[in-house]
Structure formats: C-alpha cells, structure tokens
Amino acid sequence: MTIPLKSLFVTSALLGLVSWGASHAPDSQLVAQASGLGTMADTDGDGLDDVLEVLLGTSLTDPDTDNDQRSDLDEHLTGTDPLVFDGFGAPTSIQRNVKMDIYTNGDDVVVQISGIYSQVMRGIKLYAATEGRFYQLTPRALPLTSSDTRMLNSGLPGLKSKVHRLVLPRASFQNVQALAIGLTVNIDGTEMGDQIQLISRMDYLLEYRDGDAFGLQSQGSGQTGGLFPTSPGDSMPGEISLGQICVQTLQEVAALGGGQKLYQINDSYCDYLQDAVCFSTCSGAIGGSVVGIDIVGLLGG
C-alpha cells in the first residue's frame, strides 16, 4: 500500500537551486538513460529498489544476496556487507541507523531514506545546500512526482525497518554543479543523520562517496572518495574505462555557517575499482568544489 509521506519536511527550494546554478553552467543538460527497470520497483521486496540494488551490486531477486539470514537492507543499514557471508544469526552488536541513498532512472531521481529501529523513527528533517545557499526543506520545498512509506519486518530480533521514497523530476537538478542533501531523524530517542553529496560533471549527475564506502585511504590531509554515476544506465561520453573510479581528495576550506561546509578538490585521478566508471575530465576537477552539510552541527543544534 502506498502511504503519503506527510511527515517529511518536504515542491520550489530545489527550483531555487536550479536558478542559482544557471549562472554557472547555462547550457548544461543532464542526460540519463533508462535502466530498463521500473522506478521504485522492488522485485524481491527487501526494501532496496531494483535500480539501487544494481548500483550496490546486490541481487534483484534474492532479498539475502549472501545467504547469511540477514536481508540486504538490514546489512546495508547496520554496516555489514550484503555481498559477503559473515555467519548465520544476529550480530552481537546491532546498530540502529538511518541511511539516505539516491539513484537516477530516466527522468526520475529517487531519494530513498531507510531506518532500522526498535520503538520509533520520527521527526525527519531534510536540508539542501549549494555553494551559495542552505535550506531546511519545508513541505513545499520539493517538486515531488511521487512518494511513499513502507514498513518492513527486520530479520534482526527486536528491530523494524522503515523506508521512505521520494521521486523528483531530473529537471530539478538542472545546472546545479554541487549539491548536498542532508537528513536528521530521531531513532529510538537518539538524533541521527546522513547526507548525500552530488556533483554534475559532463552533464551527468554523480554521487560523491567517501573513502570508507570502498576502502580508499587518504594519502595526505583531507578526506578521500570518488564519484559514481547515479544511474546504472549512464554511459558518460569521454569515459576512460569501466572498472575505474575518479578518486578525489577533499580539503575543508570553509565552514559557511547554517550547517554548510565547503571542500576544495586537492587531487583528482583515475584508479581501479570494480564496477566504477572514470571519465576524461577527472583530472580537470582539481580546484573545483564539493558541498557538504554539517550533520553533526545540526544534530547538536
């Protein structure tokens, strides 16, 4: 059953981001190829959409890809690897958590908010930041084309899962070169948060993931991460090869206030990582900017 997502601070602030970005890339036109999968389709019913599962490498038809009796969503939320069998039964220490994921499918951009909790998951607040502006997204702040909330039975004792999905038109991200979307939520009385960082390169929407997501270590000061296409159907012009990632080292250069942080790209190069994509403008990104949201500061406030 589809439940309206009325509890979210969630249709025009992102359009404001569009107008802000227009001066930076007036001729930009985001392009995405349809993946052949349905937006918000979840074939195995595990709480991870099919397109998201392709991006994560998990099975579309098996809710427990590694057959360790913990669902792919449970592992995604608790920090274990859904692709690696790590023994039967519940882990000795179970982490309640919230995560935000994003994928692009044709003209749709889907933001998926997932939480694992014991008693309550409530008080969701969303934020957005560019290099120029910071927003707490109000009920009129997102141009939603669809949304829903799903309750799932977690395979972990005493815990439940909830998934919120928001579908935004791809045009809302037009011309925005750097964008962060942040989330805070109350999980069993504890405030938790997450964020996704997006960059537009060569007219494609890319997600910046930090080094912890794939074991990359920074060689100097700053954090290390890389860029991934938000759609498994994307084939970027000028790409160097499949199996490579555009690795970037970020250095915080400014706390912009109001929950924003600004990072400069100090290094940017192609390196090997299975299922990733690198592209010819990777090295040209040095000196560019990545926007982040100070989630810790927001939670503390």
Side-chain angles (χ1 to χ4, degrees):
M1 180 176 68
T2 298
I3 305 172
L5 195 58
K6 295 179 180 177
S7 61
L8 273 180
F9 285 84
V10 288
T11 323
S12 63
L14 278 181
L15 297 178
L17 302 184
V18 173
S19 346
W20 171 84
S23 62
H24 293 256
D27 299 319
S28 178
Q29 179 67 44
L30 288 176
V31 180
Q33 300 185 21
S35 65
L37 302 169
T39 297
M40 294 204 297
D42 181 6
T43 300
D44 57 13
D46 63 356
L48 293 171
D49 287 1
D50 289 352
V51 179
L52 188 55
E53 296 222 55
V54 171
L55 292 171
L56 295 173
T58 52
S59 172
L60 281 65
T61 57
D62 186 345
D64 179 10
T65 300
D66 58 9
N67 298 310
D68 60 2
Q69 298 182 0
R70 293 191 290 280
S71 77
D72 293 339
L73 178 64
D74 282 348
E75 296 209 61
H76 185 56
L77 284 170
T78 56
T80 56
D81 192 337
L83 301 176
V84 176
F85 178 88
D86 43 17
F88 292 119
T92 54
S93 176
I94 298 175
Q95 298 264 344
R96 292 159 176 77
N97 199 14
V98 63
K99 283 186 71 71
M100 195 159 43
D101 296 287
I102 192 166
Y103 69 82
T104 308
N105 193 36
D107 291 332
D108 298 323
V109 176
V110 180
V111 177
Q112 180 162 314
I113 301 164
S114 309
I116 189 164
Y117 62 99
S118 174
Q119 300 297 324
V120 65
M121 173 178 168
R122 64 186 177 193
I124 293 176
K125 297 179 183 177
L126 291 176
Y127 307 86
T130 67
E131 290 178 83
R133 304 185 70 178
F134 177 81
Y135 303 86
Q136 179 175 339
L137 299 176
T138 65
R140 295 191 179 121
L142 287 175
L144 297 180
T145 60
S146 181
S147 66
D148 74 358
T149 298
R150 304 163 63 202
M151 306 292 295
L152 296 102
N153 291 322
S154 170
L156 300 173
L159 295 181
K160 310 171 225 187
S161 300
K162 185 184 291 186
V163 176
H164 299 303
R165 299 180 296 183
L166 315 175
V167 184
L168 300 158
R170 192 177 179 86
S172 298
F173 296 83
Q174 199 71 41
N175 299 324
V176 178
Q177 291 194 327
L179 169 68
I181 302 174
L183 158 78
T184 61
V185 62
N186 186 293
I187 301 281
D188 293 335
T190 300
E191 293 294 321
M192 296 185 175
D194 196 15
Q195 66 176 290
I196 48 180
Q197 292 166 274
L198 302 171
I199 300 172
S200 179
R201 288 286 185 271
M202 297 182 70
D203 303 332
Y204 288 83
L205 193 63
L206 307 168
E207 179 184 1
Y208 181 88
R209 302 185 197 170
D210 64 34
D212 289 342
F214 37 76
L216 294 172
Q217 300 298 320
S218 175
Q219 299 302 311
S221 60
Q223 67 183 68
T224 300
L227 299 176
F228 284 76
T230 56
S231 168
D234 277 354
S235 177
M236 292 184 287
E239 70 182 27
I240 293 175
S241 69
L242 293 173
Q244 288 193 326
I245 182 177
C246 183
V247 178
Q248 299 191 323
T249 301
L250 306 182
Q251 180 68 47
E252 184 178 338
V253 293
L256 302 179
Q260 278 179 279
K261 286 189 175 182
L262 185 64
Y263 301 88
Q264 179 175 293
I265 301 171
N266 283 351
D267 198 6
S268 186
Y269 59 92
C270 291
D271 199 358
Y272 179 79
L273 185 70
Q274 186 177 4
D275 298 328
V277 175
C278 202
F279 42 96
S280 58
T281 57
C282 178
S283 60
I286 296 174
S289 300
V290 175
V291 176
I293 295 179
D294 181 10
I295 293 294
V296 174
L298 291 173
L299 292 174

